[in-house]
Amino acid sequence: MTDSPTDRQRLRAAHLRPAAERAASTARGLHHTALISGDVERTIRFYQDLLGFPLTELIENRDYPGSSHFFFDIGNGNLLAFFDFPGLDVGPYAEVLGGLHHVAISMPPEQWEAAVRRLDTAGVGYEKHSGVSVYFRDPDGARIELIADPLGEMYGQQVL
């Protein structure tokens, strides 16, 4: 567990390599992150109509008959996906240790500002941080962050 600056310093010294010394990743990128939808149409209206992420496909979930698996384009060939599970009580969304904390999606500053205005107009509550991040919950309770920093940067610091 990292709970002190000393632990972080030790971990950085032991594991963090300078960019020039890092091996290339074996991955091509994040294909998709999958969340749960309690109502497919409500989710589509929220992510496509409010946030501006185009719906790219809606297919049957191969693992649960009658369930949908649907995808939104979040840029750079990355997808945000959802499953619904009709007839299955999955309960309310909960943040738990070992579970999803939030999904952070980068937007150009002008798109970020427009998205924040749309959240205001729609009455979606949110918290702004550092002038470039806005956190809110989707209709099923998942925490979403829209961040105006470029990919690979966080609050002005390169992280990639």
Side-chain angles (χ1 to χ4, degrees):
M1 177 195 281
T2 303
D3 58 2
S4 73
T6 303
D7 288 338
R8 279 186 293 281
Q9 290 169 352
R10 179 187 60 76
L11 290 169
R12 286 177 64 87
H15 302 287
L16 185 62
R17 304 286 178 255
E21 296 176 22
R22 281 183 219 142
S25 177
T26 59
R28 290 189 292 204
L30 181 67
H31 187 280
H32 70 275
T33 295
L35 301 175
I36 303 297
S37 168
D39 180 311
V40 174
E41 191 166 2
R42 180 185 68 191
T43 300
I44 292 169
R45 286 193 308 266
F46 187 83
Y47 283 93
Q48 178 169 257
D49 300 343
L50 181 64
L51 297 181
F53 306 152
L55 179 70
T56 62
E57 186 57 275
L58 188 135
I59 58 178
E60 185 172 15
N61 174 5
R62 67 174 183 241
D63 300 322
Y64 189 85
S67 169
S68 296
H69 193 191
F70 52 109
F71 302 83
F72 297 93
D73 179 355
I74 58 170
N76 275 350
N78 297 292
L79 298 164
L80 184 61
F82 288 84
F83 291 104
D84 74 326
F85 293 101
L88 183 65
D89 182 15
V90 295
Y93 179 84
E95 288 181 17
V96 296
L97 286 177
L100 178 72
H101 184 266
H102 71 277
V103 174
I105 300 169
S106 175
M107 300 177 101
E110 62 280 358
Q111 293 290 347
W112 182 86
E113 290 167 5
V116 172
R117 286 193 301 272
R118 290 191 305 273
L119 290 171
D120 278 332
T121 300
V124 176
Y126 60 82
E127 294 180 25
K128 274 188 185 176
H129 291 280
S130 305
V132 295
S133 284
V134 61
Y135 292 86
F136 54 93
R137 297 209 181 259
D138 82 354
D140 289 297
R143 188 189 322 236
I144 306 295
E145 175 188 9
L146 301 179
I147 185 166
D149 281 338
L151 293 172
E153 187 178 305
M154 187 155 192
Y155 307 135
Q157 179 177 335
Q158 288 300 125
V159 293
L160 178 64

